[in-house]
Amino acid sequence: MTPAAGRPTFSVISGAQVRTVLDGTAKDLIDLVERTYRTHAAGGTVNPDSYFLRFPDRPAERIIALPASVGGDVDVHGIKWISSFPGNVADGLPRASAVVILNDTRTGYPFACLESSIISASRTAASAALAAAAIADRRGPRPTRVGYVGTGLIARYVHTYLRAAGFSFEEIGLHDKQPAAHEGFAGFLRRTGDSAVRQYESSEDLLRASDLIVFATVAGEPHVHDRALFDHAPLVLHLSLRDLAPAVIRGAVNVVDDVEHCLKAGTSLHLTQEQDGNRDFVAGTLVEVLDGVVEPVASRPVIFSPFGLGVLDLAVARFVYDRIAAAGELTAVPDFFVELSRHG
C-alpha cells in the first residue's frame, strides 16, 4: 500500500529484505509479469525510452535510467537506475547493480528506494520463463536440453524460473569465457538437484546440442554469425540482445516484448532493421503469442528478445514493497522530507 495521505514518508528496502520477500515466489512473479505485459499492451502503462549514461573513455560501461508508470492494481510511478560495468566480473562482482525509486501516483512524492539487482534479475527471469513456456507449449513438445551462453547471475535466476515454470532437462549445457563462472554455475545447479551438467569449450557445439538456448552475456555486438547453428530450430531466449548477427535474426521467428523498444540501442534487431530498411522480420509480441495471434512454428528457430521494460521493474518492486509494508517491516528514513511548508 502507498503511504496514507498526510505527511509523506520515505523508506529504504535492502537487498536482504528483497531477497527474503522474493524467495520462493517465482510462480507468483511469472503471473505478475504476464499481467503487467497485458496492462502494457492494453495501454495502461507509460514506458518511455531508456536513457543511457555512457562514458567516452570507458565505452563498455553504462548506467541506464528506466522511467515508467503502471496503472491498474500496481498503481505506481517510478524509475530504475541500473549500472552495467562488465569489468566487475573479473573482480568477482556481478556486472550490474541497481536501485528502484517508487513514486506515489497522487502526490508524485517518492516513497521508497529498493535495492534492485535482485528485482531486475527476477523480472528478467520471470519474463524469460513466461516466454519459454508460452512459445514451447504452442510449438510442442517442451525442450529437454538447455544451453546457457553466459553463466552469471542472470543465468542462475533464469534457470530457477524455468524450473518453476515446469521445465525439466536431460542436459544443461554451459559455456562462458570465464572458467570460474562455469564452475560457480555448475556448483549451483548440482546443489539444487540438477546433475546432468555439461561444460562446453565451444559455444558453437553448445548451440548445436541445445533445443533451448539462453544468451545471458555482456556482449556489446554480435558474435554469433552462422545461421546454420540454428538449423535444428531451437527456442532462443536472447536476453542480452546483442549476441546474434542479422543473418541469424532473419532466419528466425522473432518475438519481442515491445517492438519499438527492441528496435533501438544497437540491439541485434536494431542492426537488422538498419540493414533491411524494414521490420518485417519481427513476427510480433509475447502477448500476441499468449493470445494465439502469433503462432511460433516448430520448423524454424524462435528467438525471444525482451528489451526489459521498466514497467516490469516497478510491478515487482511494488510487489516487494506491499509485502514488507503489510508485515510492518518498513524502515522509514526520519525527516527525509523536511521542507513541507510552502512558507516555512
Side-chain angles (χ1 to χ4, degrees), residues 239-250:
L239 307 182
S240 35
L241 291 173
R242 296 170 179 85
D243 302 86
L244 305 177
V248 176
I249 297 295
R250 292 189 195 99

Side-chain angles (χ1 to χ4, degrees), residues 12-341:
V12 175
I13 296 174
S14 71
Q17 289 178 291
V18 172
R19 184 170 59 188
T20 297
V21 169
L22 293 184
D23 186 37
T25 64
K27 290 183 179 179
D28 292 332
L29 290 198
I30 292 170
D31 290 343
L32 174 61
V33 163
E34 178 176 352
R35 294 196 305 272
T36 305
Y37 272 143
R38 290 188 178 281
T39 299
H40 180 67
T45 67
V46 180
N47 200 107
D49 287 345
S50 301
Y51 298 88
F52 289 74
L53 176 62
R54 299 187 183 275
F55 313 99
D57 59 331
R58 292 170 291 164
E61 298 170 359
R62 62 187 188 270
I63 307 179
I64 312 169
L66 289 82
S69 175
V70 188
D73 294 338
V74 176
D75 188 33
V76 75
H77 308 320
I79 189 167
K80 179 172 77 168
W81 181 239
I82 181 167
S83 67
S84 174
F85 280 52
N88 287 348
V89 175
D91 295 328
L93 289 173
R95 168 187 59 86
S97 57
V99 294
V100 163
I101 301 292
L102 299 180
N103 293 72
D104 181 74
T105 56
R106 185 180 64 85
T107 67
Y109 270 85
F111 61 87
C113 174
L114 299 87
E115 195 284 332
S116 193
S117 63
I118 297 169
I119 288 170
S120 188
S122 297
R123 65 85 153 142
T124 299
S127 170
L130 174 67
I135 294 168
D137 291 346
R138 289 194 172 275
R139 299 174 90 205
R142 283 196 171 192
T144 59
R145 302 185 316 277
V146 63
Y148 291 93
V149 183
T151 56
L153 181 142
I154 294 297
R156 171 161 59 89
Y157 272 79
V158 169
H159 191 77
T160 299
Y161 277 67
L162 287 172
R163 293 297 302 271
F167 285 84
S168 59
F169 300 108
E170 298 171 359
E171 179 181 291
I172 303 167
L174 312 180
H175 173 78
D176 199 294
K177 293 182 178 179
Q178 299 285 338
H182 267 165
E183 296 300 329
F185 190 36
F188 162 77
L189 292 170
R190 294 186 180 106
R191 287 194 304 274
T192 54
D194 285 305
S195 58
V197 180
R198 178 178 176 184
Q199 298 185 24
Y200 285 81
E201 294 298 323
S202 161
S203 62
E204 290 82 4
D205 289 343
L206 179 143
L207 297 179
R208 292 189 187 98
S210 306
D211 49 7
L212 173 60
I213 299 165
V214 181
F215 283 96
T217 74
V218 295
E221 59 186 23
H223 57 95
V224 179
H225 298 269
D226 187 356
R227 180 169 165 174
L229 293 170
F230 303 88
D231 280 349
H232 57 299
L235 167 54
V236 181
L237 302 176
H238 188 205
L239 307 182
S240 35
L241 291 173
R242 296 170 179 85
D243 302 86
L244 305 177
V248 176
I249 297 295
R250 292 189 195 99
V253 176
N254 289 284
V255 177
V256 300
D257 54 357
D258 182 285
V259 176
E260 296 299 330
H261 284 79
C262 286
L263 294 173
K264 294 175 181 175
T267 66
S268 295
L269 295 171
H270 187 199
L271 297 179
T272 307
Q273 181 191 40
E274 289 183 326
Q275 289 187 11
D276 293 1
N278 61 63
R279 54 182 65 179
D280 295 346
F281 52 87
V282 177
T285 66
L286 177 55
V287 170
E288 289 175 320
V289 172
L290 290 165
D291 289 342
V293 176
V294 171
E295 288 290 347
V297 296
S299 58
R300 295 177 64 197
V302 178
I303 300 174
F304 176 59
S305 298
F307 194 78
L309 303 177
V311 294
L312 301 184
D313 295 285
L314 294 195
V316 176
R318 184 59 188 260
F319 175 90
V320 171
Y321 176 89
D322 285 348
R323 289 208 169 187
I324 292 175
E329 296 174 353
L330 287 174
T331 302
V333 179
D335 299 320
F336 187 83
F337 299 108
V338 174
E339 289 285 1
L340 293 175
S341 171

